[in-house]
Amino acid sequence: RPPLGGDRATDVCIIGAGYTGLWTALSLKTARPDLDVLVLDRAFAGFGASGRNGGWLTGGFAWNHRRYLANGTEAGVRAMVTAMGGTVDAVIGFAESEGIDADIHRTDELMLATTPAQIVRARAEVAHRTGWGEARVRLIDRAEATARVRLPGLQGGMLVGGVARVQPAKLARGLAAAAERRGVRIAEGTAVVGLRTGRVETTRGTVTAPIILRATEGFTATLPGHARDWLPLNSAQIVTAPLPPEIWAKIGWEGAEIIGDFANTYCYCQRTREGRIAVGARGIPYRYGSATDQSGTPDDETIRRLIAILHRHFPAAAGVPIAHAWCGVLGVPRDWCATVGFDPATGIGWAGGYVGVGVSTSNLAGRTLADLALGRDTALTRLPWVNHRVRKWEREPLRWLGLHGMYALLNAADRAEAGGGPPSRLATLANRIMGR
């Protein structure tokens, strides 16, 4: 799409043409078709995490009930859990109504355990989530887990119903096209270099707007004045060539469930429409100074780690070539909790900090941000993540030392637990230090 063609005035300027920005634009135009909505992106729609994620549409989100309770009541937190759970149907329903072919497949989420310590974490996670009203979550034993997929050392895990697998880039492209059909202008190749009340400075001209909404997620740290708001955490993926039927017969996985594990340094996997295996994990988690990725090119060590995960969980696929590898950044607030907010005094709003669980969260965030921008008092604008604020990340080198120290401890904890022992205190220490 063409870039911004010089100075322009608009009703609403959205920075970032990923899931959050596009859902927000769509929600604004649904509520007010007369609004002039402009979306800016320094690259192209879906360039960031929206086009490169693991394709998990789960209705889950990054949160801590104690932190959200500071903004509301227990009933409010339960309402948020319910609202998030509804995003799966909301995204699928919109895709169907707009004819967006994103390889969407309704299925279950399997979070699997291969050590006694991981079983302990699975039980704790199920107890936590059911305690806050998630009826779709339950424990599964070794027999049920193995009937679905055959992983070495499988001991059981957690099943979450009512989720879906998606092809993320196809979904992003479909949302962008749907927004344009409603009259939204998307200016690509237009980098924002500054923003303040009523004004967005870009490399292609100046935009004036009474409402400015920031939907930049992992790239937020690149904006002037926001370097320590959200940390850009790196995640990476590999995908195999299509597996032949005889290898799939050894693995199972006929339900194409989205699969992760309860390792402290967890992974996320999907069986694609074409019969490939995609595997994602953190790799090298953070670049000094909140630097972002180089157009999705991962380093060799990260690829090696991902291949090791693939071969450990799916040894039957060890001889299958790796077709592609990529990486990208996701946004992490200091308290690891997603948020959406709006300041009526400045007309500036924001949403994000999804900590890698943004495919469905962004849908609710976009709808909520639209209501806030339009000054509406709705059930969404009263949810406890609205205007949830946290302190900024530490300055360097503390930021780099903290993140890399945390992942060193988490890796050490996984090595300690591999021998069959209880959950490692190293993981507890790592999470406590980083405020997770």
Side-chain angles (χ1 to χ4, degrees):
R1 299 178 178 87
L4 187 69
D7 296 348
R8 176 174 170 179
T10 185
D11 295 327
V12 182
C13 179
I14 299 173
I15 305 170
Y19 289 156
T20 301
L22 295 171
W23 283 123
T24 303
L26 287 162
S27 298
L28 286 168
K29 293 294 282 186
T30 298
R32 289 274 308 276
D34 60 308
L35 280 178
D36 185 20
V37 179
L38 171 65
V39 183
L40 307 175
D41 200 280
R42 74 179 192 182
F44 55 82
F47 168 79
S50 298
R52 306 185 221 172
N53 64 77
W56 284 32
L57 179 62
T58 66
F61 62 109
W63 67 298
N64 181 302
H65 69 277
R66 293 182 183 88
R67 288 159 185 160
Y68 284 153
L69 281 174
N71 302 334
T73 63
E74 182 175 315
V77 175
R78 291 181 179 275
M80 188 162 173
V81 171
T82 300
M84 285 294 182
T87 58
V88 176
D89 286 341
V91 172
I92 294 175
F94 186 84
E96 290 175 345
S97 67
E98 294 291 319
I100 299 173
D101 180 8
D103 299 347
I104 297 174
H105 174 73
R106 287 187 181 270
T107 185
D108 295 321
E109 174 187 346
L110 297 179
M111 291 294 295
L112 301 174
T114 58
T115 68
Q118 291 181 26
I119 285 288
V120 172
R121 282 194 288 278
R123 289 173 180 152
E125 181 69 10
V126 170
H128 174 74
R129 293 175 65 164
T130 55
W132 285 98
E134 282 201 70
R136 61 197 182 113
V137 180
R138 63 181 175 87
L139 281 171
I140 57 174
D141 59 18
R142 185 199 313 260
E144 183 173 356
T146 304
R148 290 173 176 261
V149 62
R150 290 180 282 282
L151 268 65
L154 191 54
Q155 299 190 20
M158 178 181 76
L159 183 145
V160 184
V163 306
R165 175 208 73 195
V166 304
Q167 209 284 12
K170 288 184 176 181
L171 179 59
R173 287 198 294 265
L175 293 178
E180 288 180 313
R181 286 194 292 272
R182 286 160 173 77
V184 174
R185 164 80 193 281
I186 302 173
E188 298 181 335
T190 304
V192 172
V193 296
L195 67 147
R196 54 188 171 88
T197 301
R199 193 176 184 90
V200 179
E201 303 287 349
T202 84
T203 53
R204 300 285 187 165
T206 298
V207 178
T208 55
I211 297 174
I212 298 168
L213 306 176
R214 195 186 75 231
T216 45
E217 186 56 0
F219 296 106
T220 299
T222 65
L223 295 174
H226 296 277
R228 294 166 54 206
D229 286 6
W230 292 337
L231 182 143
L233 191 66
N234 196 57
S235 197
Q237 292 184 76
I238 56 172
V239 65
T240 69
L243 276 61
E246 59 270 21
I247 293 182
W248 280 121
K250 296 177 182 178
I251 296 172
W253 206 357
E254 295 175 359
E257 296 91 345
I258 53 177
I259 291 178
D261 63 22
F262 273 104
N264 293 294
T265 53
Y266 59 89
C267 69
Y268 50 95
C269 313
Q270 71 153 271
R271 176 176 177 168
T272 74
R273 173 186 57 81
E274 301 165 295
R276 306 172 186 266
I277 297 178
V279 176
R282 289 292 177 260
I284 296 176
Y286 174 71
R287 293 177 171 85
Y288 192 86
S290 293
T292 57
D293 61 275
Q294 300 298 314
S295 298
T297 303
D299 59 276
D300 292 340
E301 174 59 20
T302 292
I303 295 173
R304 186 197 66 78
R305 294 180 189 181
L306 292 171
I307 292 173
I309 294 171
L310 170 70
H311 293 173
R312 182 171 70 248
H313 284 333
F314 307 102
V320 179
I322 303 302
H324 195 52
W326 66 97
C327 67
V329 291
L330 51 100
V332 180
R334 188 61 183 87
D335 68 351
W336 302 73
C337 292
T339 182
V340 57
F342 184 77
D343 181 359
T346 63
I348 296 175
W350 68 92
Y354 303 133
V355 196
V357 199
V359 180
S360 53
T361 312
S362 57
N363 171 268
L364 187 67
R367 289 186 279 137
T368 304
L369 188 54
D371 280 353
L372 288 169
L374 294 174
R376 296 182 166 190
D377 180 13
T378 67
L380 296 184
T381 63
R382 293 189 293 271
L383 292 175
W385 70 334
V386 171
N387 291 322
H388 173 69
R389 300 252 192 177
V390 297
R391 63 186 174 92
K392 293 179 180 291
W393 281 92
E394 289 78 2
R395 298 182 186 277
E396 297 292 20
L398 294 179
R399 217 160 50 238
W400 188 93
L401 290 170
L403 257 293
H404 282 264
M406 180 187 75
Y407 276 97
L409 288 170
L410 293 177
N411 277 300
D414 282 335
R415 290 193 296 270
E417 294 173 0
S424 172
R425 293 182 180 180
L426 293 174
T428 303
L429 174 63
N431 291 323
R432 185 173 299 162
I433 289 173
M434 295 308 297
R436 294 179 74 186

